[in-house]
Amino acid sequence: MDLSVDLGGLCLKNPVMSASGTFGYGLEFSSFGDLKELGAIVVKGLSLKPKKGNPVPRIAETPCGMLNAIGLQNIGIENFLKDKLPFLPWKETPVVVNLYAQSVPEFGVLAGILSDEPGIAALEVNISCPNVREGGVQFGQNAKAAAAVVSEAKRKCGVKPLIIKLSPNVTDIRSIALAVQGAGADMISLINTLGGMAVDVYTRKPRLANVFGGLSGPAIKPVALKMVYEVCSEVDIPVIGLGGISSAEDVLEFILVGAHAVQVGTANFLRPDFIFDLIRELPQAMSRTGIASLEELRGGLETVEPSPVCA
Amino acid sequence: MNRFKDGGQVDKNTLSNKPECSSLKVLGTAYAGSGDFVHLYLEPPLWEFSPGQFVMLRPESWGLDPLWPRPFSICEKTAEYMRIFIQVVGRGTRLLSLCDPGSTINVTGPLGRGFRVPEGPLLILAGGMGIAPFLGLCKNHPYPQKISMLFGHRLALKHYPFEESPGEMHKESMHQVSEDDLKTFAQVLGERIRDFAPKGEILACGPMPFLKVVQKYALACKASVQISVETRMACGVGACLGCVVKTNEEEMVQSCLYGPVFAADKIVL
């Protein structure tokens, strides 16, 4: 059984990565499984300086999903490199740093800091966080702004592959995908959370202090699958699919619509050993679908008509 | 590993037992006064814990909904069972209260930091469901006569395992129905904290308004008080950053990792 994936400059032993923001700095999960078993470890979004994040309540459970408005609380890039990275198994498993900045030059500075850091395998640029007032999604909702971030990060990141994480909160995801590909992105990951809110009719208050949050979990998987399918049909660079993946079959569904690899996010909250079990179950799921390598399945969706243009 | 290395200037010395995930069978449930208060008995896990530490429970039958596991302090653990005391407050706790004997629950624990229990006299302040983490502590304490407990409750006493703790303890319960009762209870809390402050350690667990009163008097009397907070959690292991509390140094720290038990003078409620 061949689970390996070549993302063009980033080789994974299996297609399952952790999704940023759901796996801490990786170490939080080291009691529950061997981090070396992951395809890659994508850590919590990091900014230049530590960030305190939003007031509580920051999370709310919804049917088959959850809303979050954490506000990118993180320890800052320097503290991560000093206090966390040395304890991650970066020699055996690629460590991907998710980056958040409030301006194009700041993205460049962050990329520059990581460009010659041997423990970092790739950079994932977050142009899609819906939960902070400044930056984030403002870059992800506009093709020109997205391209500007990518060009700047690409100019500064040296040989590190650059993954751009897209927001689903857009009218046409394909135009954004093409723009970031054109600007030099090495890979695309999608989707980040969908904008949402929840309210309490008895207290007449929003369930999140931030009022709005990002919806994630199994509830968003159909949306994610469609967007990944659309983007895979449009771009030539590898695509990493995510959004509600909660089983080995879900992983294969994203591969079937064209993804090269996947990220597991909110499902990590079901049980802290979830991702390790999912990876162990993947070979059996592949057997059941009659494949010996992911290559046999990738992009193999059989549609009766030529792919529909819109739904 | 440096699981507990970063973060706030809160107590980092009570390093917890290493947590793990296990699938435990439900041995049975016992209702207390109504269907809304239930003692859930599970097969005992292999690990040990300190009172105040908690578990995340997620029945296997939940599939993908409800999504999150639910956090509960460990009421008691013996060679025969682990006991969790649950009040039904929503869909998740309702489903947990209806778990069939023989069904399987995914249990992650022991999580967080429990109470530091020194050898000397103890004053336990519990509000409502805040009594849960203290039952095992009191039952297993070598000198129950050194423990005083003040228990405030808004629903009838029959719902809570108050009588079950050792008779050698100095126990006092107060029922709050009216606003005046609440004021009186707050006054008594203040008096007990002030009188006990020079004698020993105070442990408190209960709803946030209760903890705020406890904290106010703890700071005023410079008493050594540990408080256990209840927060909304998704993961229980420090990853989701949903359960953060603010420290005196204005840091946001995860109550699942650095708590749920904090020194009363280290956090802002």
Side-chain angles (χ1 to χ4, degrees):
Chain A
M1 202 60 74
D2 183 10
L3 272 71
S4 68
V5 176
D6 182 359
L7 292 169
L10 181 64
C11 290
L12 314 182
K13 60 174 89 69
N14 68 62
V16 182
M17 318 162 82
S18 58
S20 179
T22 65
F23 208 65
Y25 301 108
L27 301 168
E28 291 85 346
F29 291 79
S30 59
S31 296
F32 307 101
D34 186 351
L35 293 174
K36 295 200 265 302
E37 287 170 13
L38 268 65
I41 302 165
V42 186
V43 300
K44 173 79 188 154
L46 293 163
S47 47
L48 206 47
K49 295 275 173 268
K51 271 180 75 78
K52 283 187 184 130
N54 291 332
V56 293
R58 294 171 162 189
I59 54 174
E61 196 178 40
T62 58
C64 282
M66 64 176 282
L67 289 161
N68 89 80
I70 304 303
L72 288 164
Q73 178 181 345
N74 77 94
I75 58 174
I77 189 81
E78 298 294 352
N79 288 328
F80 169 77
L81 295 176
K82 182 163 55 77
D83 297 334
K84 303 290 182 187
L85 184 60
F87 299 98
L88 286 169
W90 54 268
K91 282 181 184 156
E92 292 90 354
T93 298
V95 172
V96 178
V97 167
N98 180 287
L99 297 179
Y100 161 76
Q102 295 185 6
S103 69
V104 171
E106 200 180 325
F107 273 112
V109 173
L110 280 164
I113 291 170
L114 295 169
S115 61
D116 56 358
E117 183 58 54
I120 302 299
L123 281 51
E124 183 179 63
V125 173
N126 181 3
I127 54 168
S128 47
C129 180
N131 298 328
V132 285
R133 275 180 224 290
E134 296 299 317
V137 78
Q138 78 186 41
F139 298 111
Q141 286 175 333
N142 174 307
K144 227 183 224 172
V149 170
V150 177
S151 304
E152 178 64 8
K154 188 68 192 166
R155 212 162 60 80
K156 299 282 176 62
C157 71
V159 296
K160 306 286 185 199
L162 200 62
I163 307 166
I164 311 301
K165 187 167 181 176
L166 301 187
S167 168
N169 304 312
V170 295
T171 315
D172 181 10
I173 191 92
R174 289 167 300 188
S175 63
I176 310 278
L178 283 172
V180 302
Q181 175 179 262
D186 298 296
M187 283 164 250
I188 287 170
S189 58
L190 78 160
I191 59 173
N192 204 325
T193 55
L194 287 153
M197 68 187 281
V199 299
D200 184 332
V201 76
Y202 298 103
T203 62
R204 303 190 180 189
K205 292 205 165 62
R207 290 193 188 272
L208 297 174
N210 192 54
V211 185
F212 303 142
L215 182 66
S216 65
I220 72 166
K221 201 190 79 178
V223 179
L225 209 54
K226 172 178 183 272
M227 289 189 153
V228 169
Y229 179 56
E230 287 179 312
V231 168
C232 287
S233 314
E234 203 73 36
V235 301
D236 305 314
I237 53 179
V239 169
I240 300 163
L242 71 149
I245 292 176
S246 318
S247 70
E249 277 80 8
D250 289 349
V251 173
L252 297 181
E253 287 181 19
F254 279 82
I255 304 287
L256 180 63
V257 302
H260 277 69
V262 299
Q263 294 178 356
V264 173
T266 298
N268 290 308
F269 299 158
L270 299 177
R271 298 196 318 262
D273 61 352
F274 190 89
I275 198 167
F276 306 103
D277 280 354
L278 183 146
I279 290 168
R280 272 192 290 277
E281 284 159 16
L282 194 54
Q284 288 101 293
M286 288 168 66
S287 294
R288 284 198 295 278
T289 55
I291 57 166
S293 75
L294 296 167
E295 205 54 51
E296 294 172 46
L297 190 67
R298 183 168 300 116
L301 188 72
E302 296 174 11
T303 50
V304 182
E305 296 294 318
S307 298
V309 178
C310 60
Chain B
M1 275 309 219
N2 68 336
R3 219 177 111 72
F4 299 103
K5 199 169 149 246
D6 74 335
Q9 302 306 304
V10 292
D11 181 16
K12 288 174 190 153
N13 298 318
T14 50
L15 195 69
S16 77
N17 304 294
K18 192 177 183 247
E20 56 185 71
C21 299
S22 27
S23 297
L24 303 178
K25 290 253 183 297
V26 174
L27 300 175
T29 49
Y31 296 100
S34 81
D36 285 351
F37 290 83
V38 62
H39 296 270
L40 179 67
Y41 292 88
L42 301 170
E43 289 177 312
L46 297 173
W47 39 258
E48 292 305 319
F49 77 104
S50 333
Q53 283 194 286
F54 69 101
V55 285
M56 298 294 282
L57 302 186
R58 195 168 187 283
E60 251 172 22
S61 62
W62 283 10
L64 297 174
D65 195 58
L67 192 74
W68 297 339
R70 296 295 193 266
F72 298 97
S73 62
I74 302 159
C75 186
E76 188 190 12
K77 185 167 107 59
T78 70
E80 284 80 43
Y81 59 79
M82 176 166 69
R83 172 176 169 184
I84 308 294
F85 181 45
I86 296 170
Q87 180 179 6
V88 174
V89 293
R91 188 164 155 253
T93 43
R94 171 67 69 201
L95 290 170
L96 274 163
S97 77
L98 299 173
C99 275
D100 289 323
S103 64
T104 303
I105 297 190
N106 287 317
V107 178
T108 305
L111 295 166
R113 287 145 197 246
F115 293 103
R116 246 179 334 98
V117 185
E119 282 195 358
L122 282 183
L123 172 61
I124 290 175
L125 304 171
M129 292 304 290
I131 198 169
F134 296 124
L135 186 63
L137 188 160
C138 293
K139 283 169 90 169
N140 295 317
H141 199 282
Y143 309 106
Q145 64 275 16
K146 287 190 181 175
I147 308 175
S148 304
M149 181 195 275
L150 173 59
F151 176 56
H153 54 103
R154 304 198 66 172
L155 296 171
L157 192 60
K158 64 177 180 185
H159 296 300
Y160 306 97
F162 177 73
E163 299 298 344
E164 194 185 329
S165 50
E168 300 93 317
M169 289 168 50
H170 307 278
K171 292 195 280 186
E172 182 182 4
S173 72
M174 290 180 73
H175 193 185
Q176 295 87 48
V177 181
S178 65
E179 286 299 312
D180 281 348
D181 295 341
L182 283 167
K183 276 186 200 142
T184 310
F185 181 50
Q187 271 172 11
V188 175
L189 276 172
E191 286 163 19
R192 294 292 182 279
I193 291 170
R194 193 188 58 220
D195 294 347
F196 190 84
K199 297 182 200 157
E201 189 73 14
I202 301 175
L203 315 179
C205 182
M208 195 53 85
F210 165 86
L211 292 180
K212 282 185 176 171
V213 172
V214 170
Q215 186 188 43
K216 184 179 86 179
Y217 290 116
L219 296 179
C221 308
K222 295 198 165 42
S224 179
V225 181
Q226 302 170 50
I227 54 178
S228 179
V229 299
E230 185 177 51
T231 54
R232 200 184 292 178
M233 285 180 191
C235 73
V237 297
C240 75
L241 301 178
C243 69
V244 291
V245 295
K246 196 192 272 183
T247 70
N248 288 346
E249 279 85 16
E250 296 281 308
E251 276 188 282
M252 302 294 262
V253 299
Q254 300 97 311
S255 58
C256 66
L257 280 188
Y258 301 100
V261 178
F262 293 93
D265 60 352
K266 291 288 191 282
I267 57 167
V268 181
L269 293 178

